[in-house]
Amino acid sequence: MALTKDGISPRSRLIAGMAKVLEQRALSELYADDVVREAGVSKRTFYQHFPNKEACFLALYRENSARVLGVLKEASGAVGLSALERIQLGSQAYLSFMQGQSALMKRLYIDILYLGTEGMKAKREVLQQFADVLLAAYDAERAQMPALPPLDPELVLATVAGINELILFKIEDGQADRLRELEGVSQKLLLGQLLLSQSSQG
């Protein structure tokens, strides 16, 4: 893959350009030309990598979600943490990271809803990835404490989806810069899964 003079691939420049443009306007209001201009590449280069602006948006959505996921993994995956500590640190890091890029998160969370089947597919993939990270973090603790009951993967996914909807509500209410206010309720929802699993094993 050819790189530009600054060592960044054209595709990466286009995704970064899409992110910059989205901070100013909705996906429905922007054009491929806007992304090309921001990225500093040719329109021909854009279409070599993406068939349309929606495909570029989806690439950004998945890439940004991977970054947020990395933050969550790092915060909740440290050795020696209890399940409660993992939940607390993970939710704090997760919401803080998203709040720090509130303008972009607003567009990603809202515009993905208007991309039909492809948008829903990407959203489901991301929700499943987040649920898998939480399950893996908990299973790491179970490996050290076998007496801990397993978590129900479907309930964890439902909890992640519920937190996702709370974030969307907050964003739709114009409070994308106040996502950390959801730390408490997010922690309670996740902790509730632990308590539910323990009670079902009792």
Side-chain angles (χ1 to χ4, degrees):
M1 180 182 294
L3 301 179
T4 54
K5 291 181 179 179
D6 56 7
I8 301 174
S9 71
R11 186 178 187 277
S12 294
R13 291 186 67 86
L14 286 164
I15 291 174
M18 172 62 80
K20 285 291 186 182
V21 176
L22 278 174
E23 290 179 356
Q24 305 300 322
R25 67 190 83 165
L27 180 63
S28 61
E29 299 171 346
L30 64 84
Y31 299 91
D33 286 342
D34 300 316
V35 178
V36 165
R37 189 178 307 111
E38 184 66 42
V41 300
S42 68
K43 195 167 184 178
R44 178 182 178 184
T45 297
F46 180 93
Y47 288 110
Q48 285 176 340
H49 293 277
F50 302 107
N52 49 48
K53 66 179 183 179
E54 289 80 9
C56 186
F57 174 91
L58 285 170
L60 168 63
Y61 181 85
R62 289 188 168 99
E63 185 175 287
N64 196 74
S65 296
R67 284 197 292 268
V68 179
L69 193 64
V71 170
L72 178 60
K73 282 182 179 179
E74 183 177 355
S76 63
V79 177
L81 295 179
S82 68
L84 178 58
E85 289 170 329
R86 293 178 194 279
I87 289 172
Q88 291 174 331
L89 292 176
S91 62
Q92 289 169 5
Y94 172 64
L95 293 170
S96 293
F97 184 84
M98 291 198 297
Q99 183 172 298
Q101 49 177 4
S102 58
L104 175 59
M105 295 309 303
K106 176 181 178 180
R107 296 271 46 101
L108 292 178
Y109 261 73
I110 292 177
D111 291 350
I112 194 69
L113 302 176
Y114 298 100
L115 293 186
T117 302
E118 284 301 309
M120 291 305 298
K121 178 182 177 182
K123 185 175 180 180
R124 286 196 300 269
E125 287 174 359
V126 168
L127 290 177
Q128 186 63 64
Q129 289 166 3
F130 276 86
D132 289 345
V133 167
L134 294 175
L135 285 166
Y138 181 74
D139 286 343
E141 183 177 3
R142 285 188 69 222
Q144 304 300 320
M145 302 176 62
L148 288 175
L151 293 178
D152 184 330
E154 289 189 345
L155 286 178
V156 174
L157 179 58
T159 302
V160 170
I163 293 172
N164 181 81
E165 289 302 299
L166 286 175
I167 292 171
L168 178 58
F169 292 162
K170 198 82 166 172
I171 288 172
E172 288 180 327
D173 288 341
Q175 300 180 46
D177 58 344
R178 296 170 60 183
L179 294 180
R180 285 201 61 179
E181 293 178 358
L182 294 175
E183 283 181 15
V185 68
S186 297
Q187 291 169 11
K188 289 177 182 177
L189 284 170
L190 292 168
L191 182 59
Q193 290 302 317
L194 299 180
L195 297 176
L196 182 62
S197 295
Q198 291 169 1
S199 64
S200 66
Q201 295 290 317

